[in-house]
Amino acid sequence: MSAFTLHIKMLGEFSIRNEFGNFTHINNKSLQITRLLAYLIANKDTEVSKDKLIDVLWPEENATNPSGALRNLIYRARQILSAFFPQPEASGETAPECILFSKNAYRWNPAIDCIIDIYEFEQYVHLAEKEHDTKEQYQWYEKAHAIYKGDFLNILSSDEWVVFRSVYYKNLYTKITVSMCRYLSQQKNYAAIIRLCESSSLVDQMDEQIHIEKIYAYLNMKAPSQALAYYYSVSDLFTQKFGIDIGPEMQKAYREIVRQLPNHHQDIGGLEENLRTGNNIKGTFYCNFDIFKNIYQINLRSVRRSQSKRYLTLFTLTDRSRPDEITTDLIEEMDTLYLVLSKNLRSNDVFTKSSPSQFSLILTVANENGCKTAINRIIEKYSKKKALKHIELQVDYRLIQ
């Protein structure tokens, strides 16, 4: 490897470096030159026609003289790249041309010695997929994983051609990360999975599959409480920052967390405190449209009953035969209670499963007597459907003020 070898990064920040030069969008400040160089390098094995380059550089056809603008851009790019290949004056030699032109088409000079991260990344993945020894395969994946520093050409993320390549590399990154997690899981090295997922999430926060692998690592370490805390943090990130719902695989992971959690009841004071202070978000709350629409509908109904009060209500089921466990009988009765609540509450009431054996409700009523009436109605309906006498129901409520 010579001092003239170009080290080109396209995963994350775009840059070209060697011992003599350093090109980035930050120090060059010309997005069009970055776009030109990035496209030619990403398609280095292809001749790109003038018309195609003009379409890439000026997709809205807003260049007054596109052919002249392209020639000027090529000239400026060549000038920048020549600095990477200084030649002694006495030698009489000139710097090699990085951008070639022939038959009305441009291409990146294949004779230039380059190490380009996207091609290294793909090569390591290809070598891993050919490898039959799982340990050797993991080592190739590890090399590929270390190269991925961010989305493909994130400075050009709105360009159509970049979007497709970015999705391809991101999917490949997820695939190798999951493969690495599965190998580490076979080795029962769950702490390494967590470290791997943490480093991967820094690169791509929205990759749900990587979050799921971390949750299962916690579960395999018999740490369901940590898994639950992490699940909540991911759920908040998705709904409040990105405005998207978590997917079915994450919901499946949540059900597994709940299944493994010990049956520790919280009292209504603890529930209230958790709801008040558990996730105090500053600034405007951001959510997806479905959530926004639901909240709007609830508030719209509340306006029509301005004299109403709201009560936080907690329904707790306990298996008296094994009060510290989530038994099969308890799960069965929780399903029964769910059906009772879903069919016997009004449309402007809200309820959720707040622990493996508890439902919490927000009841909107005129006064405390209305709250007691609603609770008694639920207790009565549940008592009629209750199949197991050793399952006990306890209800607490508190005025929200």
Side-chain angles (χ1 to χ4, degrees), residues 336-360:
T336 301
L337 182 55
Y338 169 83
L339 292 174
V340 171
L341 291 168
S342 62
K343 293 181 179 179
N344 292 279
L345 292 172
R346 290 166 301 184
S347 59
N348 59 338
D349 294 327
V350 182
F351 80 106
T352 188
K353 190 175 184 180
S354 51
S355 88
S357 60
Q358 292 177 299
F359 287 106
S360 52

Side-chain angles (χ1 to χ4, degrees), residues 276-342:
R276 284 183 182 276
T277 63
N279 192 18
N280 187 18
I281 302 161
K282 296 180 180 179
T284 304
F285 176 75
Y286 180 65
C287 60
N288 68 28
F289 184 75
D290 287 339
I291 295 174
F292 178 82
K293 187 175 180 180
N294 289 334
I295 294 172
Y296 175 81
Q297 294 292 338
I298 290 170
N299 281 277
L300 186 63
R301 293 166 189 149
S302 298
V303 167
R304 296 167 187 164
R305 301 182 57 181
S306 58
Q307 300 302 314
S308 62
K309 297 182 182 298
R310 291 173 177 80
Y311 286 83
L312 178 64
T313 313
L314 185 65
F315 285 70
T316 303
L317 290 182
T318 305
D319 187 336
R320 290 197 304 269
S321 63
R322 286 182 285 174
D324 295 326
E325 296 180 31
I326 301 294
T327 63
T328 303
D329 290 347
L330 190 60
I331 293 171
E332 184 179 324
E333 287 296 326
M334 281 291 285
D335 290 341
T336 301
L337 182 55
Y338 169 83
L339 292 174
V340 171
L341 291 168
S342 62

Side-chain angles (χ1 to χ4, degrees), residues 181 192-202 210 213-214:
C181 288
I193 293 176
I194 291 169
R195 290 194 298 271
L196 173 63
C197 291
E198 285 174 348
S199 65
S200 303
S201 297
L202 290 174
I210 292 173
E213 293 296 329
K214 185 176 177 181

